[in-house]
Amino acid sequence: MTAPSTAGGPQELRRTLGLPDAVVIGLGSMIGAGVFAALAPAAGAAGSGLLIGLAVAATVAYCNATSSARLAARYPASGGTYVYGRERLGDFWGYLAGWAFVVGKTASCAAMALTVGSYVWPDQAHAVAVGAVVTLTAVNYAGVQKSALLTRVIVAAVLAVLAALVVVTLTSGTADPARLDVGSDTSVGGVLQAAGLLFFAFAGYARVATLGEEVRDPGRTIPRAIPLALGITLAVYAAVAVSVLITLGPDRLAESTAPLSDAARAAGADPLVPVVRVGAALAALGSLLALILGVSRTTLAMARDRHLPHGLAAVHPKFQVPHRAELVVGAVVATVAATADLRGAIGFSSFGVLAYYAIANASAWTLSPEEGRPARVVPVLGLAGCVVLAFALPVSSVVPGAAVLALGVVAYGIRRGRLTARR
């Protein structure tokens, strides 16, 4: 099979992103989601085994990242696994990957918007969430370079806040390393469920792949950017998780609605609490910005193939962005953010995204050595890990997630039936 053409044309996007921009977009997608939204529910599932769950999630994420990077270098077009699945496994699997991504990441967008609202103005969280979606959709509409610049600023600010929190908590008198000990409250099922929830936090590295049509020298840039972003994020997650655990302990962490703020308060650093709140809002904004970018690019790719309305494939003549796809994605996310529940959105999103990466690993398995195939164990472990973690999630996430995927399959069957009837 040959890679799709990337020759210039009126409906193709401009390659403007270098390695630093690609890494920053990946960081912006991950750090906001994981540190501020997923640690507490994961602690509720794994108890004192939270760090084991983090390690499991990181291992599966590494496999997925490696498979995605090799595929993205081979197929540097917008759409990510939607394109890879179509080219390597067939039209149906590409469609299913795209459907799972768009649905799962729409829930992620809503979760991040609600995180912004919860920290900025808790009593009006839904209204603030909708405002954030509208504002960032406008930023994305103005061009991907502006989005990358804003993401760089946000990531720098969030990392500074997290560094301050880690130093304060680790050096406080309330820090107790004994709270890291794995106790009887840990089970295999709980660890796997925590890993599935934490996977929601790692999934942002693929944002680089979905922007493949806008990256300069994608065959070299993407395989370098994805593991760099993942490695930096894992180091940040581990440092923050350890500092919060030794300060609050697993029980208090599981019950907290704002664990990082509570950790700062427990460490006696009350002046740091409002700084953490601002950092949380900025992190969620950065994640939301990059998420909207990724969902709109996959929508663009699916619209080009008429799996979604073809009008969404339009590219703005001035800004060189899929403007109609961005506007529709923004409208849908704003509607979900007005009504969604934050913790429920995390589980629902994780199920859809794990299905997406399962197809990515299956696609990577079909690469030949000449096409840059990773070691065989990588896609096998990634595929198995995605399936196990998806079905280890709470039933309240698995049932609606599976139902939405089934709905997508039905829609695909109807479309295929109509096409066949016309022939």
Side-chain angles (χ1 to χ4, degrees):
M1 298 180 183
T2 58
S5 172
T6 56
Q11 293 301 305
E12 296 200 354
L13 306 177
R14 184 180 300 153
R15 296 192 183 279
T16 58
L17 300 177
L19 178 62
D21 289 329
V23 171
V24 167
I25 286 174
L27 288 176
S29 302
M30 289 183 280
I31 290 177
V35 175
F36 296 103
L39 280 178
S48 56
L50 173 64
L51 294 180
I52 302 175
L54 180 63
V56 172
T59 300
V60 176
Y62 171 78
C63 294
N64 297 344
T66 302
S67 293
S68 296
R70 301 299 177 86
L71 289 161
R74 176 69 178 161
Y75 301 100
S78 289
T81 301
Y82 167 70
V83 174
Y84 318 148
R86 181 191 66 199
E87 295 294 322
R88 308 303 305 191
L89 304 176
D91 187 67
F92 170 75
W93 294 105
Y95 164 83
L96 187 62
W99 176 261
F101 182 88
V102 169
V103 171
K105 287 303 182 179
T106 296
S108 295
C109 289
M112 290 302 94
L114 286 167
T115 300
V116 176
S118 297
Y119 278 90
V120 172
W121 192 359
D123 293 337
Q124 297 293 331
H126 289 286
V128 174
V130 172
V133 172
V134 172
T135 300
L136 294 188
T137 298
V139 171
N140 281 336
Y141 193 100
V144 70
Q145 274 288 11
K146 295 180 178 62
S147 300
L149 176 61
L150 180 56
T151 302
R152 182 183 287 116
V153 173
I154 291 173
V155 168
V158 171
L159 288 176
V161 171
L162 294 178
L165 176 71
V166 169
V167 170
V168 166
T169 51
L170 290 180
T171 58
S172 71
T174 58
D176 183 3
R179 292 176 177 143
L180 298 177
D181 295 342
V182 178
S184 58
D185 59 338
T186 299
S187 66
V188 173
V191 167
L192 291 177
Q193 186 174 119
L197 293 167
L198 288 167
F199 185 82
F200 164 83
F202 281 109
Y205 52 78
R207 208 70 62 251
V208 180
T210 59
L211 294 170
E213 198 171 315
E214 294 156 274
V215 174
R216 296 194 302 269
D217 190 11
R220 176 178 171 83
T221 300
I222 293 173
R224 295 171 64 195
I226 289 177
L228 273 173
L230 179 62
I232 294 170
T233 299
L234 175 59
V236 172
Y237 282 3
V240 173
V242 167
S243 67
V244 173
L245 269 176
I246 68 172
T247 304
L248 296 178
D251 293 337
R252 289 178 64 190
L253 173 58
E255 296 171 357
S256 176
T257 57
L260 272 63
S261 295
D262 289 346
R265 191 175 291 108
D270 289 349
L272 187 59
V273 172
V275 177
V276 171
R277 290 172 63 88
V278 172
L282 284 175
L285 282 170
S287 183
L288 177 60
L289 179 68
L291 282 167
I292 293 174
L293 273 173
V295 175
S296 63
R297 269 56 179 182
T298 301
T299 300
L300 165 71
M302 295 182 73
R304 283 172 170 170
D305 294 337
R306 300 184 185 276
H307 286 305
L308 293 174
H310 190 61
L312 298 179
V315 176
H316 196 284
K318 177 181 178 182
F319 298 124
Q320 292 293 296
V321 297
H323 58 296
R324 292 180 184 172
E326 287 185 342
L327 291 175
V328 169
V329 168
V332 172
V333 172
T335 301
V336 175
T339 57
D341 168 74
L342 176 57
R343 293 198 176 198
I346 291 175
F348 181 87
S349 172
S350 292
F351 187 90
V353 176
L354 284 163
Y356 172 86
Y357 283 113
I359 296 172
N361 282 293
S363 300
W365 170 267
T366 69
L367 290 171
S368 66
E370 293 74 22
E371 293 173 314
R373 184 183 69 203
R376 284 294 196 183
V377 68
V378 172
V380 170
L381 184 57
L383 174 58
C386 286
V387 173
V388 170
L389 295 189
F391 287 96
L393 289 166
V395 175
S396 59
S397 300
V398 174
V399 172
V404 170
L405 287 186
L407 179 63
V409 172
V410 171
Y412 178 86
I414 292 172
R415 175 180 176 273
R416 293 288 294 182
R418 288 177 177 174
L419 291 175
T420 301
R422 291 174 186 171
R423 293 171 183 169

